[in-house]
């Protein structure tokens, strides 16, 4: 078959598995360019797709990189009203894990979207602001390839050969290579969590007329520090605060910012539920819709579930209610009442998708070879504690693993000095086509190979 972009063409031989790859010379930044694939000299192209030449960056890691613009809209509202930029593009790789071997194709359609109001929510926040900076600097199309999963440890992003240096990781993985065992362990752990929550709801219902404990807290703080009686507390605690608003606030929409909490919450304003979060890593930024607030006293009620006796409203996170240019401080004294108590920790989920090797095989390997200028890595929180001392070595090993994966289908031309990112086009056995045309960098860019 023959593959053509602009005035550059190359021939490819399709393997028995339906896969093929070609390399084309660099294109001038811009576009759109027409990509055509013709089989056996046919007159009509089998595939015709418009592509752009520019710079592609891999955005990888855990929740801090995955965190979407959707959750940052309240902080950066002007990003949603600025001029659309369809040449700042984003592609989220579907979350998949595989313990049997590297995947070479997606099992569902993926798409590139531009930085326009109706798709901006999908962008990685860190990647978006980085990409916008590069767009302003270089003036070329920029693509952000988002390969992330919140909570993931670094071991999940390395291949089996690299993980051989950490035999314990591979030993821990061994039972999960059996798909049925992996599925059963995951389902059983989730069922145990659900039973714990159901029991807590029952306890709360049965204790509605009882006083299980109440008092005041100065928040944000760890509950045990704010009131020693809450040391080791597990269960449901209601945190309440009254905020007095002027007459003009009646019926107005607002943004309620309560920082982070441990562990899950449901939050109400004047009896109306305005939001909920299932774990400690989400910032509690909730929109209060029109018609909820009133002049005078307004009641905020946070139903917080503490799973492991380490409850907190995370210190250092400012709590406030914002309406337009006015902000009402919510730091300080809150009242509390106990809704339910339990002596048992909430069982933890067996996060199969975080196990060693899985995300590399299911996500990274699927993208390996896609021409890119650099990788942005934002991960590490899941490797704190006993394994932290070895993180530097693991990170260096993972970088080597990814460089090898990309290099295996990267520039192999003896005449190329790697100041350019050659266009790489391939088709996988499942028939999806992809194209990346990463243009020549300006003279001020480095002369070493792309990351």
């Amino acid at each position: 078959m023959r593959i053509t972009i602009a005035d550059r063409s190359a021939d490819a031989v399709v393997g028995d598995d339906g896969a093929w790859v070609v390399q084309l010379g660099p294109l001038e930044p811009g576009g759109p360019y027409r990509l055509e694939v013709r089989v056996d000299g046919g007159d009509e192209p089998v595939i015709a797709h418009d592509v752009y030449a520019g710079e592609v960056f891999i955005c990888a890691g855990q929740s801090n990189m995955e965190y979407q613009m959707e959750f940052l809209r309240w902080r950066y509202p002007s990003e949603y009203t600025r001029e659309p930029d369809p040449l700042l593009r984003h592609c989220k790789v579907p979350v998949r894990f595989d313990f049997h071997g590297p995947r070479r194709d997606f099992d569902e359609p993926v798409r590139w979207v531009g930085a326009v109001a109706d798709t901006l929510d999908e962008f990685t926040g860190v990647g978006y602001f980085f990409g916008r900076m590069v767009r302003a600097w270089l003036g070329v199309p920029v693509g952000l390839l988002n390969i992330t999963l919140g909570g993931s440890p670094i071991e999940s992003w390395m291949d089996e050969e690299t993980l051989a240096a950490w035999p314990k990781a591979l030993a821990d993985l061994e039972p999960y290579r059996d798909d049925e065992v992996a599925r059963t362990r995951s389902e059983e752990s989730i069922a145990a969590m659900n039973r714990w929550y159901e029991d807590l709801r029952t306890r709360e219902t049965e204790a509605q007329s009882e006083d299980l404990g109440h008092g005041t807290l100065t928040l944000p703080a760890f509950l045990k520090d704010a009131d020693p009686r809450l040391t080791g507390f597990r269960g449901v605690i209601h945190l309440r605060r009254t905020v007095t608003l002027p007459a003009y606030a009646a019926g107005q929409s607002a943004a309620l910012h309560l920082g982070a909490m441990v562990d899950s919450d449901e939050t109400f304003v004047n009896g109306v539920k305005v939001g909920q979060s299932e774990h400690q890593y989400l910032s509690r930024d909730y929109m209060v819709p029109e018609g909820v607030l009133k002049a005078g006293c307004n009641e905020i009620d946070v139903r917080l579930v503490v799973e492991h006796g380490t409850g907190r409203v995370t210190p250092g996170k400012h709590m406030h209610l914002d309406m337009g240019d006015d902000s009402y401080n919510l730091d300080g004294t809150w009242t509390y009442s106990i809704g339910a108590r339990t002596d048992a920790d909430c069982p933890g989920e067996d996060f199969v998708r975080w196990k060693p090797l899985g995300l590399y095989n299911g996500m990274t390997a699927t993208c390996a070879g896609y021409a890119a200028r650099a990788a942005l890595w934002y991960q590490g929180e899941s490797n704190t504690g006993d394994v932290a001392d070895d993180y530097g070595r693991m990170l260096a090993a993972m970088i080597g693993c990814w460089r090898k994966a990309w290099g295996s289908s990267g520039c192999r031309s003896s005449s190329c000095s790697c100041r350019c990112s050659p266009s790489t086009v391939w088709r996988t056995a499942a028939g999806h086509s992809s194209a990346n045309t990463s243009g020549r960098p300006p003279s001020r860019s480095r002369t070493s190979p792309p990351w």
Side-chain angles (χ1 to χ4, degrees):
M1 66 170 60
R2 173 159 288 254
I3 294 85
T4 302
I5 300 178
D7 59 349
R8 292 159 177 76
S9 296
D11 294 324
V13 177
V14 181
D16 293 338
D17 61 354
W20 52 265
V21 61
V22 298
Q23 292 219 334
L24 303 169
L27 297 172
E28 289 299 319
Y33 294 102
R34 184 176 178 84
L35 166 65
E36 295 184 351
V37 179
R38 285 184 168 82
V39 179
D40 296 332
D43 292 333
E44 295 297 322
V46 175
I47 299 172
H49 185 65
D50 288 336
V51 297
Y52 286 82
E55 297 291 354
V56 171
F57 298 89
I58 298 164
C59 302
Q62 59 179 97
S63 57
N64 285 335
M65 181 64 79
E66 184 180 36
Y67 207 71
Q68 297 168 248
M69 285 296 293
E70 174 186 1
F71 303 115
L72 296 170
R73 181 191 286 254
W74 67 270
R75 188 184 293 272
Y76 303 104
S78 62
E79 298 302 323
Y80 286 80
T81 57
R82 69 167 50 249
E83 187 73 20
D85 187 356
L87 297 188
L88 173 55
R89 297 190 172 191
H90 177 268
C91 178
K92 179 65 174 79
V93 175
V95 174
R96 296 290 183 271
F97 62 91
D98 194 313
F99 303 128
H100 303 296
R103 294 190 181 191
R104 298 305 179 194
D105 198 14
F106 304 114
D107 56 10
E108 64 181 81
V110 296
R111 62 173 187 158
W112 286 94
V113 298
V116 298
D118 59 348
T119 55
L120 186 55
D121 279 352
E122 302 177 28
F123 276 61
T124 155
V126 172
Y128 167 74
F129 288 106
F130 172 83
R132 195 157 68 76
M133 176 185 68
V134 175
R135 284 276 293 137
W137 174 39
L138 300 180
V140 302
V142 171
L144 305 169
L145 187 58
N146 182 343
I147 311 176
T148 57
L149 177 61
S152 54
I154 195 171
E155 299 94 313
S156 61
W157 297 105
M158 293 190 274
D159 68 5
E160 189 148 8
E161 180 182 356
T162 305
L163 282 170
W166 289 273
K168 184 180 183 304
L170 290 178
D172 292 344
L173 170 65
E174 198 58 37
Y176 297 89
R177 293 183 189 269
D178 184 317
D179 291 340
E180 184 62 23
V181 171
R183 182 189 63 79
T184 299
R185 290 193 178 190
S186 176
E187 290 178 354
E188 289 179 348
S189 70
I190 293 172
M193 291 178 62
N194 290 337
R195 287 193 297 271
W196 187 89
Y197 267 87
E198 289 166 6
D199 175 69
L200 201 60
R201 283 283 189 186
T202 300
R203 289 171 182 261
E204 189 176 15
T205 300
E206 293 175 347
Q208 282 182 349
S209 60
E210 300 180 48
D211 182 359
L212 301 180
H214 65 276
T216 61
L217 302 170
T218 301
L219 299 177
F222 282 82
L223 300 186
K224 66 179 179 63
D225 295 334
D227 187 334
R229 293 177 296 176
L230 296 175
T231 299
F233 170 78
R234 303 170 186 81
V236 176
I237 183 170
H238 286 265
L239 308 174
R240 297 185 175 94
R241 173 72 181 253
T242 300
V243 57
T244 302
L245 300 177
Y248 86 88
Q252 297 294 315
S253 62
L256 178 63
H257 306 293
L258 300 178
M261 299 178 184
V262 175
D263 290 282
S264 65
D265 78 285
E266 294 176 279
T267 296
F268 303 81
V269 176
N270 293 333
V272 176
K273 185 174 177 178
V274 296
Q276 68 179 55
S277 299
E278 297 180 354
H279 54 76
Q280 60 179 296
Y281 299 106
L282 289 175
S283 180
R284 273 60 175 182
D285 301 306
Y286 301 138
M287 297 306 299
V288 182
E290 294 180 357
V292 173
L293 296 175
K294 58 187 179 181
C297 294
N298 293 262
E299 304 299 328
I300 301 171
D301 181 356
V302 179
R303 179 184 178 272
L304 180 65
V305 176
V306 180
E307 297 179 351
H308 303 289
T310 55
R312 69 173 186 257
V313 177
T314 305
K317 305 288 187 179
H318 180 41
M319 306 167 73
H320 50 106
L321 177 73
D322 295 343
M323 275 186 299
D325 294 332
D326 295 332
S327 183
Y328 296 87
N329 183 23
L330 300 176
D331 293 345
T333 302
W334 289 61
T335 63
Y336 77 85
S337 62
I338 303 300
R341 289 180 181 270
T342 181
D343 295 327
D345 280 350
C346 179
E349 181 180 347
D350 190 342
F351 289 100
V352 176
R353 59 189 178 274
W354 291 350
K355 300 300 180 186
L357 178 65
L359 299 179
Y360 175 85
N361 281 345
M363 297 175 70
T364 308
T366 311
C367 301
Y370 200 101
R373 174 60 57 191
L376 285 66
W377 177 255
Y378 200 157
Q379 188 276 339
E381 188 173 355
S382 292
N383 287 91
T384 56
D386 295 340
V387 297
D389 289 345
D390 205 28
Y391 185 79
R393 190 166 70 98
M394 298 180 86
L395 180 58
M398 192 212 74
I399 292 171
C401 167
W402 284 34
R403 282 176 169 164
K404 181 178 179 182
W406 259 260
S408 64
S409 55
C411 179
R412 290 191 289 263
S413 170
S414 60
S415 63
C416 179
S417 66
C418 286
R419 292 192 62 185
C420 61
S421 293
S423 307
T424 303
V425 184
W426 71 94
R427 180 174 176 175
T428 60
H432 295 298
S433 65
S434 303
N436 169 269
T437 50
S438 190
R440 290 191 294 267
S443 59
R444 56 186 158 180
S445 73
R446 62 190 176 199
T447 57
S448 58
W451 69 281

